[in-house]
DNA sequence: ACTCTAATGCAACATGTGTAGCGTTAGGGG
DNA sequence: CCCCTAACGCTACACATGTTGCATTAGAGT
């Protein structure tokens, strides 16, 4: 992610922790616009050039924050039905995209300015979708949906409308959006969509 | 969009045309990173301060470009089937998102930096989805799908996976992506998804 | 402890971005 | 044709962003 530290002793580790904490604090208090190398450095008592050298730009800072966040033990909820699992997932996505402060939106915005932030976010989402594949496997195991259903394709179909409406189209946050997208996707899956190699099962 | 011009005579109109042309040229030649007020102004012989006063920032420039583009006479293709119409639409979206130079992606990136660009892009897409509603109306008229199907919800379901995969998840451009998303959405619509007020029709 | 040097702190510079004041130019209206 | 002034060009400034060279500090190995 960032430049390798060959002396991970007290000082370097302390600087990293102070800087990353300051990034989150700045993001929470003043949003993405109030986030810059200088403000972060000044707010945690680390010199500008140190931050520039280790993280290069704001995207690098957020990429490092994101790399830490990706190491958690998150798992999708198990509600017993495909509809319930997708709805639970979509409500989490919805909360992340409409939450205040808009940390997720800030990370997305940063991904358009920094290649490192883009790569970190790509890796983060790839990991999340991998973990969610179990939702589709469970549904197939219950014979709710066909055996050959493409997990990623189904999960993207369920979540993509949320990202599209809230992040790109910037629709006002509609409470029912998450559940509707989940239900529509479940209907599609039961009807035989998302099956690899099959274009038109009807 | 930009500051109103009370003297739309030769000079002001000429300046605007030269600047907007230069924006597109810069975008095509050097991408979004090579786009700044200064480079645009220098490349078309208009002074920096003039561009700053009339368009304020890069987002304002792109918003003006977008406003012109929104005034075209685009209509969705009529292929005779819902599958065909959605596939044709998705192929256009796919081409826009993977085209080189990445003008669409540049506009999306700008929308995260400038409120004016964000609003212009929002209005552009709202208009496009409105024009696409006829696709759903035609399908309902042919009794391919239920009468109460929500047009926007269906259209977002069809196109959102493309934006999500190509813009946010940054998946490598998969040729079959557009057709698969279109086919999956058509299956869902035929199965009774996207009907307003109905959560679980199955 | 002592040495070596990675990492940091510091100052100065270079560049990019945006603004303010003021004179100049040229379109619009009489 | 002449006047008025919106729009533009120019200079200078203010600030943010990012870089470079060098001195200083302190972790790591012996």
């Amino acid at each position: 992610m960032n430049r390798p530290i060959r002396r991970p002793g007290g000082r370097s580790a302390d600087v990293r922790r102070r800087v990353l904490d300051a990034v989150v604090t700045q993001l929470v208090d003043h949003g993405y616009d109030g986030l810059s190398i200088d403000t972060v450095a000044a707010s945690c008592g680390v010199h500008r050039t140190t931050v520039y050298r280790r993280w290069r730009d704001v995207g690098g800072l957020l990429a490092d924050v994101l790399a830490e966040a990706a190491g958690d033990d998150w798992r999708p909820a198990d509600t017993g039905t495909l509809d319930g699992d997708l709805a639970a997932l979509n409500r989490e996505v919805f909360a992340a995209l409409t939450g205040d402060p808009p940390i997720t939106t800030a990370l997305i915005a940063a991904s358009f300015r920094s290649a490192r932030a883009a790569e970190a976010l790509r890796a983060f989402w790839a990991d999340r979708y991998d973990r969610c594949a179990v939702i589709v496997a469970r549904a197939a195991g219950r014979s709710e949906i066909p055996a050959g259903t493409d997990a990623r394709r189904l999960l993207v179909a369920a979540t993509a409308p949320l990202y599209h409406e809230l992040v790109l189209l910037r629709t006002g946050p509609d409470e029912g959006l998450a559940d509707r997208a989940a239900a529509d996707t479940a209907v599609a899956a039961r009807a035989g969509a998302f099956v690899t190699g099959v274009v038109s099962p009807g």
Side-chain angles (χ1 to χ4, degrees), chain A residues 32-195:
Chain A
Y32 180 71
D33 293 330
L35 195 65
S36 72
I37 299 281
D38 282 32
T39 55
V40 166
S43 72
C44 68
V46 174
H47 204 271
R48 287 165 18 90
T49 42
T50 299
V51 181
Y52 272 113
R53 277 193 282 247
R54 284 187 60 174
W55 289 277
R56 184 177 170 80
D57 56 17
V58 176
L61 284 172
L62 292 177
D64 205 1
V65 170
L66 201 47
E68 281 204 333
D72 65 2
D73 60 346
W74 181 89
R75 283 165 180 253
D78 184 357
T79 66
T81 65
L82 178 61
D83 284 85
D85 286 359
L86 291 181
L89 173 63
N90 266 9
R91 283 175 192 163
E92 284 196 60
V93 173
F94 184 90
L97 293 179
T98 58
D100 189 73
I103 296 181
T104 305
T105 310
L107 290 169
I108 294 173
S111 74
F112 285 99
R113 297 201 200 186
S114 158
R116 298 166 74 198
E119 172 53 25
L121 194 57
R122 197 202 58 72
F124 177 83
W125 271 329
D127 177 55
R128 284 296 195 254
Y129 278 107
D130 283 346
R131 296 193 204 186
C132 287
V134 67
I135 292 176
V136 181
R138 287 194 299 244
R142 289 186 299 258
S143 299
E144 279 192 75
I145 58 176
T149 301
D150 185 331
R152 181 190 169 89
R153 198 162 133 206
L154 187 156
L155 292 166
V156 167
T159 57
L162 298 187
Y163 288 98
H164 200 224
E165 290 278 14
L166 299 175
V167 179
L168 298 185
L169 301 183
R170 290 180 176 79
T171 309
D174 178 353
E175 267 307 321
L177 178 61
D179 288 351
R180 279 199 306 275
D184 290 340
T185 307
V187 169
R190 281 193 293 268
F194 315 123
V195 176

